[in-house]
Amino acid sequence: MPTIRAPASRQTATLQVAVKCRPLTDNESRRSRHIIQVIDDKNVAVLDPDISKGYLDLIQNRTKEKRYSFDHVYAPGCSNTDVYKNISPTVLGVVQGLNVTVFAYGSTGSGKTYTMVGSRSDPGLMVLSFRTIFDQIKKDDSSDTFEVSCSYLEVYNEVIYDLLEKSSGHLELREDPEHGIIVAGLRRIKVHSADKILELLNIGNSRRKTESTEANATSSRSHAVLEITVRRKQKGKYGSQVLRGKLALVDLAGSERASETNNFGQKLRDGANINKSLLALANCINALGKQNKKGLAYVPYRNSKLTRILKDGLSGNSRTVMIATISPADDQYHHTTNTLKYADRAKEIKTHVHEKYWNYRQSC
Ligand SMILES: Nc1ncnc2c1ncn2[C@@H]1O[C@H](COP(=O)(O)OP(=O)(O)OP(=O)(O)O)[C@@H](O)[C@H]1O
């Protein structure tokens, strides 16, 4: 058991915000116009598809495009590996005892799951992250020992389920004085290779609640959080010190309007719950943005399970990356501008990062 908690250096980090635009799907190519212009690797413009505005805009000399700047902007031709290149140094902090959160935010069908999970030919950020964590551990030439474990949960209709359990019951959140918010009873499996996590990820994904909606054939109806913990044991003269880093990879469910998806019954109720937690997340992002500008504002983390789980990643001890995913199709204009507005506000969020380490008695 830990004895003395060693002093930790504290730094302020700004939330890193990237925007990824997916290509038009075959279906969309036949009926939609492409309204996203990636200006360069940091700037993106959205063209207003409402052509009726043309005359008014012209006489008032208003531009018909909205421009936004982010840490990184990825054009439709970019792969997940291109996105990962810029976040890999942050992810590797986990091996040094840092907490890292990466989450994808965007409307239904905008490419969140594709970005986080990916495909065989274009592996997503989850797969790329745990591959580099194990590569880094293999390359480490110190005498430190490493222990990696993994958990995978989903929040569906405001209930938490363990995706690594065949038939998971409802899990509850608890506040732990040492570790912050924890999910009581969540299975944490020790893993020795990236392939093992990939296997667990695939099992978990097959249990995830997905539905076919009009907006996306395999729409995720739950928020999924894959957590990888790395415990690094350093042997010293007087005992062992353990650094504990945590990587949380979050694939959120898509937000959609009932009218757009033609949902009813259970699907409509799912949509309402998805929107409830995404609204709670958006409110937290709003409040955190204001807090860092004006130094006030109450942040309503307690309004949903999702925001309680992500609390550390948004404001606490974590380096955090938000990937805002957008569709280039003109009929997604309002979703796209909403996503970009929230992403723009998220740039103001600051977190306070420090390594977590404890001194252990030699016998540990
Ligand atoms: N970069 C990309 N390249 C090629 N296809 C993509 C890309 N991004 C997304 N797609 C395709 O777009 C469709 C929707 O993507 P995805 O399922 O990832 O959306 P989502 O945001 O997770 O949706 P939901 O919130 O409904 O789960 C899928 O068919 C996916 O294969």
Side-chain angles (χ1 to χ4, degrees):
M1 288 302 289
T3 50
I4 315 155
R5 185 196 277 239
S9 56
R10 235 178 138 80
Q11 314 163 15
T12 301
T14 308
L15 197 115
Q16 217 188 101
V17 183
V19 167
K20 185 176 183 240
C21 179
R22 70 160 168 80
L24 284 173
T25 61
D26 291 345
N27 239 344
E28 284 170 338
S29 306
R30 283 190 283 276
R31 58 178 164 82
S32 303
R33 279 191 302 144
H34 198 297
I35 56 160
I36 302 297
Q37 199 189 340
V38 174
I39 299 160
D40 56 33
D41 61 353
K42 288 190 187 308
N43 295 287
V44 62
V46 187
L47 308 174
D48 187 342
D50 187 354
I51 41 174
S52 63
K53 276 190 181 166
Y55 178 67
L56 194 68
D57 286 335
L58 218 63
I59 53 172
Q60 291 182 346
N61 201 18
R62 278 204 314 244
T63 168
K64 284 212 305 174
E65 60 172 45
K66 287 189 180 127
R67 285 184 179 228
Y68 301 84
S69 301
F70 297 98
D71 295 306
H72 302 285
V73 173
Y74 301 97
C78 290
S79 65
N80 288 326
T81 306
D82 294 323
V83 179
Y84 186 70
K85 268 181 208 149
N86 288 315
I87 64 164
S88 121
T90 308
V91 167
L92 285 177
V94 172
V95 182
Q96 306 301 332
L98 292 177
N99 285 349
V100 178
T101 304
V102 181
F103 70 95
Y105 180 96
S107 60
T108 295
S110 60
K112 295 180 297 298
T113 304
Y114 187 93
T115 304
M116 296 308 288
V117 181
S119 61
R120 200 173 276 272
S121 58
D122 189 13
L125 305 186
M126 288 182 169
V127 182
L128 297 169
S129 298
F130 48 72
R131 277 191 193 154
T132 54
I133 288 175
F134 277 101
D135 282 351
Q136 185 72 12
I137 291 176
K138 231 184 246 165
K139 272 195 254 161
D140 191 90
D141 54 7
S142 68
S143 58
D144 299 352
T145 53
F146 295 87
E147 188 187 290
V148 184
S149 59
C150 155
S151 68
Y152 197 22
L153 65 82
E154 71 173 344
V155 185
Y156 173 67
N157 277 338
E158 279 302 279
V159 179
I160 302 170
Y161 296 91
D162 191 339
L163 288 170
L164 300 183
E165 285 287 356
K166 202 169 179 189
S167 37
S168 161
H170 299 185
L171 303 179
E172 293 301 330
L173 286 173
R174 299 252 160 80
E175 298 261 357
D176 179 89
E178 197 73 65
H179 300 110
I181 302 273
I182 56 158
V183 182
L186 182 68
R187 205 166 160 209
R188 188 164 288 286
I189 298 178
K190 275 191 194 161
V191 280
H192 300 283
S193 68
D195 287 345
K196 181 65 193 172
I197 309 186
L198 186 57
E199 191 189 313
L200 294 174
L201 180 68
N202 287 333
I203 293 172
N205 284 341
S206 68
R207 293 183 182 141
R208 226 183 133 183
K209 277 98 184 157
T210 57
E211 290 281 2
S212 161
T213 69
E214 280 206 0
N216 183 5
T218 50
S219 179
S220 311
R221 314 304 290 157
S222 66
H223 311 294
V225 183
L226 176 75
E227 207 175 85
I228 297 164
T229 307
V230 180
R231 287 174 91 248
R232 177 182 191 136
K233 205 163 171 185
Q234 300 171 314
K235 281 208 179 88
K237 222 173 168 183
Y238 304 106
S240 294
Q241 179 175 268
V242 172
L243 278 165
R244 200 187 59 149
K246 204 173 69 178
L247 171 67
L249 297 151
V250 188
D251 178 18
L252 297 172
S255 56
E256 74 265 312
R257 292 186 193 132
S259 57
E260 283 171 35
T261 52
N262 279 346
N263 287 340
F264 51 87
Q266 182 60 39
K267 285 191 194 177
L268 186 61
R269 266 193 304 281
D270 290 356
N273 272 314
I274 290 168
N275 282 336
K276 184 184 160 198
S277 38
L278 286 176
L279 184 68
L281 177 63
N283 285 338
C284 288
I285 289 176
N286 260 334
L288 284 161
K290 275 189 203 151
Q291 198 175 53
N292 282 305
K293 259 190 177 159
K294 299 179 185 161
L296 13 120
Y298 162 74
V299 186
Y301 293 112
R302 296 195 71 86
N303 284 359
S304 78
K305 298 253 166 74
L306 178 70
T307 45
R308 288 183 71 195
I309 292 172
L310 293 186
K311 183 178 172 190
D312 228 16
L314 286 174
S315 64
N317 177 30
S318 184
R319 283 187 193 277
T320 306
V321 181
M322 171 183 181
I323 316 278
T325 54
I326 54 172
S327 151
D330 55 357
D331 57 357
Q332 296 296 306
Y333 174 72
H334 291 292
H335 288 315
T336 300
T337 49
N338 273 339
T339 300
L340 292 174
K341 259 191 250 166
Y342 278 111
D344 201 45
R345 190 151 285 160
K347 291 190 305 195
E348 307 288 339
I349 299 176
K350 291 197 165 44
T351 56
H352 306 280
V353 194
H354 58 85
E355 298 102 339
K356 275 208 159 179
Y357 50 106
W358 292 271
N359 284 344
Y360 277 66
R361 278 190 291 273
Q362 194 75 58
S363 58
C364 288

